[in-house]
Each structure stands twice: as structure tokens, then as C-alpha cells.
Amino acid sequence: MRHLNDMALFVEVARARSFRKAAEALGMPNSTLSRRVSELEKAIGLRLLHRTTRKIELTEAGQLYYERSKRIVDEARLAHEQLGAMLNQPSGVLRVSLPVDLATFYLTPIVGEFARHYPGITFEFDLTPRRVDLVAEPFDVAIRIGKLEDSGLITRLIGRHSRHLYASPGYIEASGEPATPAELAEHECIGMLRSPIWSLHQGINKVDVAVRGRFTLNSVGMIRALAVNHQGIALLPEKIVAEDVALGRLRRILPEWQGSAVSIFAVTETRLIPAKTQRFIEFLSSRLMEA
């Protein structure tokens, strides 16, 4: 790799026929440039340049080396320019594993906006609750919610959504509205599987409430739907229920209390990801991360 870099330096000197002009163009000291070309000549075992006080001339070997090296250097420069264009306007198929509820109720307009920004990208989305195998399956990235297992994969926090308590006006009319977190234990609470404790906080005050209810499930979308249909109180991300609140289908209760935030992660097999994946992760993070 050092010889390739020195080759590029030699090409600049040969083009300029001057160490001083080449050094100015490269933004490096003249002495360093001269030393690097001398080291290249030693590595090759042939003199490439005739140096005089007035000018520089190519030797026969230098002329041959310049003609071959120039093509290599120009091809490398073209490759870097093309890669730069790919970074600015990436293309190709982006394969993403997404949580069903997050994709359905919140990500769709964000993905649409991303697609408008990058018309060269096409999309394959797999909406599934299962943990896809990023090593064995052809996914570029998986978006995951909540606590992640230590899998050796590369994870990046891209979002954090606050959660609040909601109930429908119909449920509140029929069952009343809790005035304190402790009173949640007296209500129908629609909970996630394996999460019977709701941790709430109000500033520095924290409380854990053991909730109960007829419905426990593993779908945020269905929890939302059940709450809208008057089946109980739900602890949900604010952005998931924004439309329901705006339309009066749900009402925030115990507004001074909120649940622990939900973390959203982008998971990849490696840190060396293509531009299309990098841009997608960065775009989601810019939209999902709360201030």
C-alpha cells in the first residue's frame, strides 16, 4: 500500500516535471515528496528521474513506469469519485427487517420521505416479530425495539420514545379514572407479555405498579386497538397513539407520570456497511431520536 501511495506521488512529480510544483499541488513539504520518490526508486531498484538544479527529466524506466502508473492512478481516482457519488446518491436494493407495529403505525411516512430523497434505492421490508439471522439471511439491517441480547452484532441506538398512560373516554366513563399510580392496580390494564410491572416516574419520583387485566399480548398495535375499543388502560409510545389522541379516541391519564422510554436500535452484522444502509440508519435516527 505504501508503494501505491508513492506511485501516486511520483505521477504528480512526473506530470509537473517539478518537485516544488507537485508538492504545492499535493499540499506537502518538498523535502518529504523528494524523500518518498527516492524511497520508491530504491524499492524498484531503478532510477526514475534525472534531477538537475533546473529541471526534472524522466529516465527510460521512469517513462515506462509513468505511463503504466498514470493509468493505475487515474483509475483509482475515478473509482474514488464514483464511490463518492454513491455516497451522495446511493442505489441498490435495501433489505430491512422491521417490527410490525413500529413499521405499520409510525415508520411508513418516514420511509416514504427517505425514498423521495434517494430515488435510486429499492426496498425489501420483512415485517416480522422473529429475530432474523443477520449472518445467514440477506438483510442489510434489522430495526429492533427494547432490550437487546448480547449477540456480537453491531448495534446503534437510533431512537428513544417516551411512553404514557392512555384510555378511551368510554373506558373512563365506565370505570373511572385513576388519580394515582397505585390506583392502576384496581383497573383493567392491557399489558405486554412477561411485563406485569409498569415502571413510572414523575421527575425524580419513581414507582413500580403490578398491573392486571384480561388482556396480555405481544403486539403494540393490538394493545392500541383494544384501548381504543374501551378494554382498558394502556402504556404506549406517544407517537404511536398521536392520531388517536388528536381524534379523541384516546385520552392521556395521569399526565404527570410517564413510563420508561422505549429504545430503538439498528442492528447490522458489521460496521462496514454500504452507503444505502448507512444513509437509511442515519435518516431513521434523525427522525426517531427524541431531543
Side-chain angles (χ1 to χ4, degrees), residues 99-144:
V100 177
D101 294 325
L102 184 70
T104 303
F105 294 105
Y106 187 62
L107 287 187
T108 300
I110 297 176
V111 168
E113 184 183 358
F114 179 80
R116 288 191 292 274
H117 277 80
Y118 299 99
I121 298 177
T122 57
F123 303 89
E124 289 185 6
F125 291 153
D126 183 278
L127 276 61
T128 176
R130 71 182 180 89
R131 300 289 180 174
V132 298
D133 187 341
L134 290 174
V135 178
E137 299 181 67
F139 289 101
D140 295 297
V141 60
I143 306 302
R144 292 290 172 255

Side-chain angles (χ1 to χ4, degrees), residues 6-27:
D6 290 346
M7 175 194 294
L9 298 180
F10 164 75
V11 168
E12 291 301 322
V13 172
R15 279 174 173 159
R17 290 296 197 272
S18 165
F19 277 100
R20 180 181 58 81
K21 291 181 180 179
E24 290 176 355
L26 292 166

Side-chain angles (χ1 to χ4, degrees), residues 41-275:
E41 289 177 318
K42 290 178 182 178
I44 294 173
L46 292 170
R47 183 170 292 280
L48 302 174
L49 299 171
H50 284 308
R51 298 169 174 84
T52 69
T53 56
R54 292 187 176 183
K55 62 180 179 179
I56 290 174
E57 294 291 345
L58 294 171
T59 65
E60 183 180 357
Q63 184 64 40
L64 175 63
Y65 192 70
Y66 171 68
E67 291 172 359
R68 298 291 181 88
S69 300
K70 179 180 179 297
R71 288 198 294 268
I72 296 172
V73 172
D74 288 344
E75 284 290 334
R77 182 176 292 113
L78 178 60
H80 279 282
E81 290 173 356
Q82 290 176 339
L83 288 176
M86 286 181 63
L87 285 172
N88 292 327
Q89 199 58 245
S91 60
V93 180
L94 181 65
R95 297 177 176 88
V96 187
S97 172
L98 292 167
V100 177
D101 294 325
L102 184 70
T104 303
F105 294 105
Y106 187 62
L107 287 187
T108 300
I110 297 176
V111 168
E113 184 183 358
F114 179 80
R116 288 191 292 274
H117 277 80
Y118 299 99
I121 298 177
T122 57
F123 303 89
E124 289 185 6
F125 291 153
D126 183 278
L127 276 61
T128 176
R130 71 182 180 89
R131 300 289 180 174
V132 298
D133 187 341
L134 290 174
V135 178
E137 299 181 67
F139 289 101
D140 295 297
V141 60
I143 306 302
R144 292 290 172 255
I145 300 177
K147 187 176 180 181
L148 299 180
E149 299 177 357
D150 184 6
S151 61
L153 298 171
I154 307 302
T155 62
R156 173 180 170 181
L157 179 67
I158 62 170
R160 187 179 282 117
H161 285 180
S162 58
R163 293 187 299 167
H164 302 286
L165 295 161
Y166 299 93
S168 70
Y171 175 84
I172 293 172
E173 183 179 354
S175 303
E177 183 173 350
T180 67
E183 291 182 16
L184 288 170
E186 308 300 322
H187 282 264
E188 283 287 327
C189 294
I190 311 168
M192 293 290 289
L193 291 175
R194 297 177 293 279
S195 298
I197 305 296
W198 283 359
S199 296
L200 306 174
H201 64 89
Q202 177 195 49
I204 62 173
N205 299 318
K206 296 183 179 181
V207 62
D208 291 336
V209 182
V211 296
R212 63 173 183 81
R214 298 172 64 195
F215 296 98
T216 55
L217 51 153
N218 64 348
S219 167
V220 172
M222 190 169 181
I223 290 175
R224 167 184 168 270
L226 287 168
V228 168
N229 282 278
H230 325 302
Q231 297 303 310
I233 298 171
L235 180 62
L236 291 168
E238 183 178 11
K239 289 180 170 60
I240 296 292
V241 297
E243 182 179 352
D244 296 311
V245 173
L247 295 176
R249 294 191 292 249
L250 289 176
R251 183 191 306 170
R252 184 172 168 182
I253 63 174
L254 293 174
E256 67 276 17
W257 292 87
Q258 60 181 302
S260 55
V262 175
S263 296
I264 306 171
F265 297 91
V267 185
T268 58
E269 180 191 359
T270 175
R271 297 186 190 277
L272 300 174
I273 56 178

